[in-house]
């Protein structure tokens, strides 16, 4: 430092809102935000998600409307999750050309054009009757390699329906390579992959499993998602593997409890890094605000600034449209 108190007075740069705005080191922009959206097959009206006030299981019509509103607010992208009417052991609806996600992708891309980026989550948990992210063996374990073929098929179906980014979230070893090869072979070498590279077996996912109706019917996902207390460096290893397999961008999930991991990855890679502010993060803020315990709007902005400051280029958040309108 060139000076000490009383010559040095850091408060000089905090004295007014205009001065704080001028000297801010972390800024949010609507284009940095991605809105996760749920669409459910066979419903005539949107269904509120009880554990996530303000979030809906959309109909195809209400999904189009919400996507248009996000685009008008300047949101950078949306990512779609589907809830089919019929589920089975292999998640057949995941790659059905007439499946709910494929129909929704076509709807949304037709609605918004190039106004924002339309992405698709690529996994099986929403589509399987057992709620796990892959094909099961006879003993009830997730068969990694058999699952890769299902992911590859689903990714191609999503690209064919209009997805502009494929986002594999199942944490299977080799999933990015399988999807990249399938996309290239099917004529979609231009479609990027946003890999859920550092996805933890987190308790913060509870409300999402209501929204996507994908809770495991037995056991848990600890054998394929990362352990929150796992080996040091494991997240970076997962990221490096995904990049070597062809990922164009990587993601950390959840966000707020893993800001240290987010910073490690941002300091290591030269591709865009996303962070997912997950359902539990959203639900806790909404619940505390509903009880009058916190200032909802300030906490929302503070949490997003923290994620951005830790290194996220892109933030998946259920508040994307609301926040974009305020920025």
């Amino acid at each position: 430092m060139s000076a000490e108190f009383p010559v040095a007075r850091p408060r000089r740069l905090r004295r007014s809102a205009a001065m704080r705005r001028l000297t801010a080191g972390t800024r949010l922009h609507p284009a940095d935000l991605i809105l996760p959206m749920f669409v459910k097959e066979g419903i005539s009206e949107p269904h509120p998600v009880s554990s996530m006030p303000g979030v809906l299981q959309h109909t195809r019509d209400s999904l189009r409307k919400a996507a248009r509103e996000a685009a008008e607010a300047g949101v950078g992208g949306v990512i779609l999750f589907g809830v089919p009417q019929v589920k089975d052991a292999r998640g057949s609806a995941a790659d059905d050309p007439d499946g709910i996600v494929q129909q929704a992708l076509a709807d949304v891309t037709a609605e918004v054009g190039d106004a924002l980026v339309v992405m698709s989550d690529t996994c099986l948990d929403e589509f399987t009757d057992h709620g796990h992210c892959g094909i099961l063996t006879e003993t009830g374990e997730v068969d990694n390699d058999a699952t890769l073929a299902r992911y590859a098929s689903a990714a191609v179906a999503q690209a064919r329906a209009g997805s502009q980014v494929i986002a594999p979230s199942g944490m299977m070893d080799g999933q990015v390579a399988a999807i990249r090869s399938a996309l290239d072979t099917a004529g979609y070498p231009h479609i990027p992959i946003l890999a859920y590279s550092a996805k933890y077996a987190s308790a913060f996912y509870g409300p999402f499993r209501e929204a996507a109706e994908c809770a495991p019917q037995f056991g848990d996902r600890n054998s394929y998602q990362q352990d929150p207390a796992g080996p040091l460096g494991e997240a970076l290893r997962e990221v490096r593997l995904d990049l070597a397999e062809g990922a164009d961008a990587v993601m950390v999930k959840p966000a707020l409890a893993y800001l240290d991991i987010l910073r490690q990855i941002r300091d290591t890679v030269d591709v865009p890094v996303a962070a997912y502010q997950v359902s539990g993060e959203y639900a806790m803020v909404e619940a505390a605000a509903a009880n009058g315990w916190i200032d909802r709007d300030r906490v929302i902005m503070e949490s997003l600034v923290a994620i951005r400051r830790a290194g996220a280029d892109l933030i998946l958040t259920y508040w994307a449209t609301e926040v974009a309108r305020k920025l």
Side-chain angles (χ1 to χ4, degrees), residues 239-251:
V239 165
R240 290 188 180 107
L241 286 167
D242 282 352
L243 292 175
E245 292 176 15
D248 301 281
V250 297
M251 188 192 302

Side-chain angles (χ1 to χ4, degrees), residues 58-70:
H58 284 285
T59 66
R60 289 173 62 186
D61 286 341
S62 70
L63 183 77
R64 283 192 291 264
K65 180 176 182 292
R68 183 172 65 252
E69 291 172 350

